[in-house]
Amino acid sequence: MGTSRQFDQSLCRGALHGFLDTVREGHPDTPFLILSPIICPCHENTPGPTVYGGNGQFTSITGHEEIRVGSLTLSRIRQIVSAVIAQRRDDGDSNLHYLDGLELFGEDAADLPDDLHPSGDGYVRTGERFYEKVFTGTGAFAV
């Protein structure tokens, strides 16, 4: 059997393909946008779980390193999702689109007051960026 890294990444990739296959069975030509996670500094390169630290902040906790090695992190999830969407687009699904969540809320970590959830201003800015990236110019659903 492969490493936990291979298992976690294969499971994630397979689950996403399965989800997209299910959607496409009923809606083969419907435009569809997949959005990856926004920033969460404690999990960009460290797997979960996320816990409340008692000081108003959320953080990750350490675990058994032999289990956590190769576990999914947000940066790895973004790579996998991007690759799956690119592969399916290359295979002919031109109505499938990908948007990296970091383009919506990435370098905004100062607007994560609890290190997990955006502030009100962060949510507004994320919505404005979503509109710009998806509904204008060359966005997936530009009018």
Side-chain angles (χ1 to χ4, degrees), residues 15-34 88 93 95-96:
L16 181 54
H17 275 296
F19 169 72
L20 293 170
D21 289 346
T22 300
V23 170
R24 285 304 188 219
E25 281 179 23
H27 305 279
D29 300 316
T30 300
F32 192 18
L33 174 69
I34 300 293
R88 292 179 77 103
D93 192 344
N95 284 319
L96 182 61

Side-chain angles (χ1 to χ4, degrees), residues 31-88:
F32 192 18
L33 174 69
I34 300 293
L35 174 66
S36 71
I38 65 169
I39 196 168
C40 179
C42 69
H43 290 302
E44 288 302 310
N45 298 300
T46 303
T50 305
V51 296
Y52 180 69
N55 59 354
Q57 309 295 38
F58 286 87
T59 188
S60 59
I61 60 172
T62 58
H64 298 286
E65 194 57 34
E66 63 275 6
I67 295 171
R68 293 169 61 99
V69 169
S71 294
L72 292 171
T73 64
L74 292 180
S75 60
R76 186 63 187 132
I77 289 168
R78 285 186 206 97
Q79 292 170 350
I80 291 169
V81 172
S82 174
V84 166
I85 303 308
Q87 175 189 350
R88 292 179 77 103

